């Protein structure tokens, strides 16, 4: 990630209050499918921000590893996990995903909410354990103006075509996909 982008994300999280335990939730686009998410196994949460989804998954019983480029976001995530009583099931690290996915074991769930780096598509698929769940969302041009971080129509389903799609959607400037590895 460029230094400018890194600073922008750090400033964004520094300007926000740490989330409260009441804020813990799965990203809204996946709420209708929350029962699909497992209650045991490993999670890799990419660009986890302050850890809202990570802590939600840990509360379900999963072992979570969240990564983000912002040290402040990671501090917030660690604190949120501790205050939520799941600090022992969560690990959070500062990672620049421009260097690729950090090495680690297969994941039963990979969450990637509102972050998109096409170079990670294949590594994400490879990191998923057999029958592993991918929950990915990104800003989209569908229902919004074009922008440098917005996906094209159908981009997520095309990028992850080797997975079995459970559900997907596009609209109001967001695209999302839930899919399983065969």
């Amino acid at each position: 990630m460029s230094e400018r982008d890194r600073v922008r994300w750090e400033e964004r999280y520094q300007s926000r209050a740490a989330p409260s335990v009441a804020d813990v939730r799965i990203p809204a686009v996946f709420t209708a499918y929350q029962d699909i998410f497992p209650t045991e196994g490993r999670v890799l949460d990419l660009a986890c921000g302050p850890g809202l989804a990570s802590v939600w998954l840990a509360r379900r019983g999963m072992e979570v590893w969240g990564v983000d480029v912002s040290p402040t976001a990671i501090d917030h995530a660690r604190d949120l996990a501790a205050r939520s009583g799941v600090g022992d099931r969560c690990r959070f690290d500062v990672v620049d995903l421009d260097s690729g996915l950090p090495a680690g074991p297969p994941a039963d769930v990979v969450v990637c909410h509102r972050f998109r780096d096409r170079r990670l598509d294949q590594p994400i698929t490879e990191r998923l354990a057999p029958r592993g769940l991918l929950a990915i969302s990104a800003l989209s041009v569908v229902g919004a103006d074009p922008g440098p971080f917005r996906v094209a129509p159908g981009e997520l389903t095309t990028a992850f075509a080797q997975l079995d799609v459970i559900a997907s959607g596009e609209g109001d400037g967001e695209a999302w996909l839930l899919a399983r590895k065969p």
Side-chain angles (χ1 to χ4, degrees), residues 1-6 9 69 96-99 115 119:
M1 175 172 287
S2 73
E3 185 60 25
R4 182 176 169 198
D5 286 339
R6 186 184 340 274
W9 282 110
V69 72
D96 185 345
L97 292 168
D98 274 359
S99 301
F115 173 77
R119 297 170 299 175

Side-chain angles (χ1 to χ4, degrees), residues 43-101:
V43 176
L44 178 59
D45 189 355
L46 304 174
C48 68
L52 299 175
S54 293
V55 171
W56 183 83
L57 289 158
R59 282 180 172 175
R60 289 179 64 84
M62 302 201 73
E63 299 293 322
V64 180
W65 184 17
V67 299
D68 198 281
V69 72
S70 166
T72 298
I74 292 300
D75 287 344
H76 288 322
R78 288 176 181 147
D79 179 61
L80 181 63
R83 286 184 288 119
S84 298
V86 294
D88 61 328
R89 288 199 296 272
C90 293
R91 170 184 168 190
F92 295 101
D93 291 309
V94 176
V95 172
D96 185 345
L97 292 168
D98 274 359
S99 301
L101 292 185

Side-chain angles (χ1 to χ4, degrees), residues 2-66:
S2 73
E3 185 60 25
R4 182 176 169 198
D5 286 339
R6 186 184 340 274
V7 168
R8 178 175 58 90
W9 282 110
E10 182 62 7
E11 288 174 349
R12 180 178 181 176
Y13 288 114
Q14 286 176 347
S15 70
R16 294 179 174 181
S20 74
V21 173
D23 295 327
V24 171
R25 66 189 179 285
I26 192 78
V29 297
F30 304 123
T31 301
Y33 303 94
Q34 62 187 353
D35 291 340
I36 291 172
F37 288 81
T39 57
E40 61 183 12
R42 291 187 179 112
V43 176
L44 178 59
D45 189 355
L46 304 174
C48 68
L52 299 175
S54 293
V55 171
W56 183 83
L57 289 158
R59 282 180 172 175
R60 289 179 64 84
M62 302 201 73
E63 299 293 322
V64 180
W65 184 17

